[in-house]
Each structure stands twice: as structure tokens, then as C-alpha cells.
Amino acid sequence: MRQTHFSESNLFGLIDRLADEVREAQPREVRRWGLEPRGGGYQSEIDWMKSWLSQRMDFIDQQLVQPPRLSHAGGQIASGLQLTLTGPANATLYYTLDGSDPRLAQGAISSNAVIYAGPILLQSDARVVARARNPRQRQTGGPPTSTPWSSPVTANFTITR
């Protein structure tokens, strides 16, 4: 969800829309309550909020295992494409070619999951789902992560005929 609903651009857009709804009333609120926004103005307060939120999202993201990256985004391909995965250090990469998740609902490894050990030769249509897993993931000086798994990365590959 950090790539979609909770992406920085989506959250900043929401902040801007909500701030615009009360922008006209803001000077009256300052006069009524006598509270000046940080930085001296309404927009500086909005900018401060965005900066804080951006730093907080970065901190949260650093607590999680980073997802693997695929060497090809998917789409139509020629048979024989060699797909490579790269992931964070000390993590094991798991993938499936049938669209199922390498991670089971309670966090176990799916029986369909394959440990990535080199290029994946794609010779037929496939829906690749990949995750990184690092059971020792810890933030230095911080709490253990809630899951050793990264978010899933998916791509559909269709062989051109």
C-alpha cells in the first residue's frame, strides 16, 4: 500500500485538498485563538506537516524488509527471457510463477515457493510473485520487525506468438 494508497504523492495530495478546504478560515482562527503556525504562515505549517510525514514514512520503511526488484517489468516477451531478481543483503528471495504468494497467510513459506538461485528462464506465460525474507531483520537499536517478509512484487509475462 506504500506504493499506492499510502504513497507520498497520494498522502501529500490529501493534505493539500484538506488544507485548501480550510485555507480561507485559517486567518480567522489565528485571530480568534492567537496561535501562529510554525514558520509564521499557514503554508509553512502545511510544509512542516509534509516534511514530518515524509521522514516518518522513511523511518517506517527502513524497519521493513525491502522487496526484491525484477529485471523486467512484465508484459509481452519473447520465449527464453532470463528474469533476474535482486534483493536486500542477507535476505532469501522466494518466487512463484503461477501467481500464488510465496508467503502463506500466517507467514510460513508456501510449498509453491522457489528459492531464487539465478536467472529464471521464462518459456511460457507466467505471473511472477516474488518476496524477500530475512528472519534476522532488525533496526539497529530498535524493535524487531513485525514480519520477516517484504511486500510482494508481481509482474505478468506473456510470450509473444
Side-chain angles (χ1 to χ4, degrees):
M1 291 184 71
R2 282 282 294 120
Q3 307 304 314
T4 57
H5 301 314
F6 294 130
S7 70
E8 188 171 277
S9 62
N10 274 357
L11 292 174
F12 284 6
L14 175 63
I15 289 169
D16 289 337
R17 285 190 303 279
L18 294 173
D20 286 344
E21 286 184 23
V22 297
R23 191 173 299 275
E24 180 194 344
Q26 191 274 332
R28 291 190 306 268
E29 291 296 305
V30 168
R31 284 191 304 273
R32 180 177 184 186
W33 300 107
L35 299 173
E36 283 294 324
R38 286 169 278 210
Y42 185 61
Q43 189 58 50
S44 65
E45 183 73 19
I46 302 305
D47 294 342
W48 185 91
M49 180 189 309
K50 288 179 180 179
S51 175
W52 181 89
L53 184 60
S54 178
Q55 291 173 24
R56 183 65 180 161
M57 289 186 297
D58 290 344
F59 170 79
I60 291 169
D61 288 345
Q62 291 171 5
Q63 308 306 306
L64 304 173
V65 177
Q66 296 303 300
R69 290 177 303 283
L70 307 178
S71 63
H72 195 286
Q76 296 242 330
I77 60 167
S79 179
L81 175 78
Q82 292 195 6
L83 179 68
T84 58
L85 306 178
T86 54
N90 302 319
T92 303
L93 305 181
Y94 292 89
Y95 71 92
T96 64
L97 299 176
D98 63 3
S100 63
D101 196 331
R103 176 192 177 273
L104 294 175
Q106 298 301 315
I109 300 168
S110 168
S111 61
N112 290 346
V114 178
I115 295 175
Y116 178 74
I120 304 164
L121 183 62
L122 297 175
Q123 295 180 307
S124 61
D125 294 353
R127 177 168 173 79
V128 176
V129 179
R131 286 185 186 251
R133 184 174 190 277
N134 182 358
R136 291 180 293 280
Q137 170 76 13
R138 299 285 188 270
Q139 176 66 23
T140 303
T145 60
S146 60
T147 177
W149 290 96
S150 73
S151 60
V153 176
T154 62
N156 292 317
F157 295 91
T158 307
I159 303 299
T160 55
R161 300 187 191 329

